[in-house]
């Protein structure tokens, strides 16, 4: 009875309020591993840095650098690894975001759309920050970098992130109904993409029977297209980024419909019998 009546907000005010909520949720998701913000960000970046170093050393020791494209070898490595990491991190973040039965949803301004958006943006922020830190350090300390079409190559990174978010949204909608199946599928999918993403080989060099094994994967198309934009002497012939974009849009529609249905039927008592 003592609560003041809320005044209706306009469209711009509502958008700014939601953006503020997403910002604070992103900060919370990034800092949840450690109280210190710099330590939390560095911990997240360290995994990407170690991943790149491990593949760089492995390719060098096994003598596989000759099979790469003509150009900077680090760009070849990162065009595969960072798109793979961005895709899988976005999938895991969105699929593991706060559900409709989470205690965070008890707070009035909070809802599942804000939780999903903050998880997705937080994953993208960490990967983009790690990307620029590694490229800047390599450019300053080792050798100047030259990327043929940097904006288009960065666009492929965004498509890899978008497709990971889209698939994670579908898994998030299915998780309350089939938690074990979703967790197993997520783990198998991320492990399978170590090979199926095509980050360790070039699509133009594959025979036709091997292309049929990989061209179902949107990430395979995006990585190959990214290398086409990054290297002036490589022209992808068997992939296109439009396929990945359409697959991502289809998953977003399916995931939003599933999330809306799950949100209406979710209950805290679902996990009581598990």
């Amino acid at each position: 009875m003592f609560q003041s009546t809320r005044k209706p907000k306009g469209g711009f005010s509502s958008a700014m309020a939601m953006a503020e909520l997403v910002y604070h949720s992103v900060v919370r998701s990034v800092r949840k591993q450690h109280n210190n913000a710099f330590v939390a960000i560095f911990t997240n970046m360290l995994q990407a840095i170690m991943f790149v170093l491990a593949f760089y050393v492995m390719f060098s020791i096994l003598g596989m650098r000759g099979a790469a494209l003509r150009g900077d070898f680090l760009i070849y490595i990162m065009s595969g690894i960072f798109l793979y990491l961005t895709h899988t991190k976005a999938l895991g973040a969105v699929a593991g975001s706060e559900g409709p039965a989470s205690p965070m949803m008890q707070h009035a301004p909070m809802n599942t759309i804000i939780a999903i958006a903050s998880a997705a943006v937080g994953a993208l922020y960490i990967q983009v920050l790690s990307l620029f830190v590694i490229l800047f350090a390599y450019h300053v300390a080792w050798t100047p970098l030259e990327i043929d079409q940097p904006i288009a190559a960065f666009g492929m990174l965004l498509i890899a992130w978008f497709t990971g978010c889209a698939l994670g949204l579908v898994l998030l909608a299915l998780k309350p109904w089939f938690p074990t199946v979703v967790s197993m599928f997520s783990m198998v999918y991320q492990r399978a993409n170590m090979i199926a993403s095509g980050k360790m080989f070039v699509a133009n060099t594959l025979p036709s029977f091997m292309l049929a094994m990989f061209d179902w994967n949107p990430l395979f198309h995006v990585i190959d297209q990214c290398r086409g934009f990054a290297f002036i002497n490589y022209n992808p012939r068997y992939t296109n980024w439009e396929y990945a974009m359409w697959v991502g849009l289809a998953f977003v529609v399916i995931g939003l419909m599933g999330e809306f249905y799950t949100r209406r039927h979710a209950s805290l008592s679902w996990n009581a019998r598990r």
Side-chain angles (χ1 to χ4, degrees), residues 69-72 75-76 79 135 144-154 224-236:
L69 300 174
R70 285 180 298 167
D72 196 284
I75 299 297
Y76 173 79
S79 62
L135 290 180
L145 291 173
E146 186 174 342
I147 300 175
D148 183 36
Q149 302 181 53
I151 297 177
F154 185 75
D224 194 55
Q225 288 291 313
C226 182
R227 286 170 174 163
F229 291 125
F231 294 94
I232 194 171
N233 53 14
Y234 180 66
N235 184 28

Side-chain angles (χ1 to χ4, degrees), residues 9-265:
K9 294 182 178 180
F12 181 76
S13 299
S14 300
M16 292 301 296
M18 179 170 288
E20 184 181 4
L21 288 173
V22 170
Y23 168 75
H24 290 293
S25 298
V26 168
V27 173
R28 174 178 172 268
S29 66
V30 171
R31 292 188 58 180
K32 64 184 178 182
Q33 293 187 5
H34 199 277
N35 291 331
N36 189 296
F38 291 103
V39 174
I41 293 174
F42 179 75
T43 303
N44 285 290
M45 291 173 53
L46 189 61
Q47 181 182 7
I49 295 171
M50 295 304 295
F51 217 96
V52 172
L53 289 177
F55 270 85
Y56 191 93
V57 172
M58 182 186 71
F59 272 68
S60 300
I61 292 177
L62 296 179
M64 299 173 65
R65 295 185 59 165
L69 300 174
R70 285 180 298 167
D72 196 284
F73 185 63
L74 183 71
I75 299 297
Y76 173 79
I77 290 289
M78 293 186 64
S79 62
I81 289 176
F82 257 89
L83 268 67
Y84 164 77
L85 282 178
T86 302
H87 181 83
T88 55
K89 290 289 186 181
L91 185 150
V94 173
S97 61
E98 306 281 352
S102 170
M104 283 295 293
M105 299 303 147
Q106 303 300 317
H107 301 277
M110 191 67 178
N111 56 55
T112 53
I113 297 300
I114 294 175
I116 293 169
S118 61
V121 174
L124 179 64
Y125 167 74
I126 291 297
Q127 295 306 313
V128 171
L129 183 62
S130 304
L131 172 68
F132 280 104
V133 167
I134 293 176
L135 290 180
F136 177 78
Y138 185 76
H139 179 81
V140 172
W142 192 259
T143 183
L145 291 173
E146 186 174 342
I147 300 175
D148 183 36
Q149 302 181 53
I151 297 177
F154 185 75
M156 296 303 102
L157 178 75
L158 294 180
I159 294 179
W161 167 77
F162 174 70
T163 53
C165 294
L167 184 55
L169 187 60
V170 175
L171 297 180
L172 177 65
L174 292 174
K175 187 167 64 172
W177 306 94
F178 313 103
T180 304
V181 174
V182 167
S183 62
M184 290 181 60
F185 174 82
S186 178
M187 181 184 67
V188 170
Y189 177 79
Q190 294 182 31
R191 299 298 183 272
N193 261 332
M194 290 287 291
I195 303 297
S197 63
K199 67 177 183 291
M200 293 185 291
F201 44 81
V202 182
N204 283 5
T205 63
L206 295 179
S208 58
F209 74 92
M210 291 191 68
L211 278 173
M213 298 169 57
F214 299 117
D215 63 358
W216 59 269
N217 191 353
L219 188 58
F220 174 76
H221 289 257
V222 174
I223 289 177
D224 194 55
Q225 288 291 313
C226 182
R227 286 170 174 163
F229 291 125
F231 294 94
I232 194 171
N233 53 14
Y234 180 66
N235 184 28
R237 298 194 302 267
Y238 305 111
T239 59
N240 59 83
W241 61 266
E242 293 91 347
Y243 167 76
M245 200 64 191
W246 283 113
V247 170
L249 289 173
F251 278 140
V252 165
V253 173
I254 296 172
L256 287 176
M257 290 190 299
E259 199 278 330
F260 175 76
Y261 182 82
T262 301
R263 187 170 70 243
R264 295 184 61 186
H265 295 81

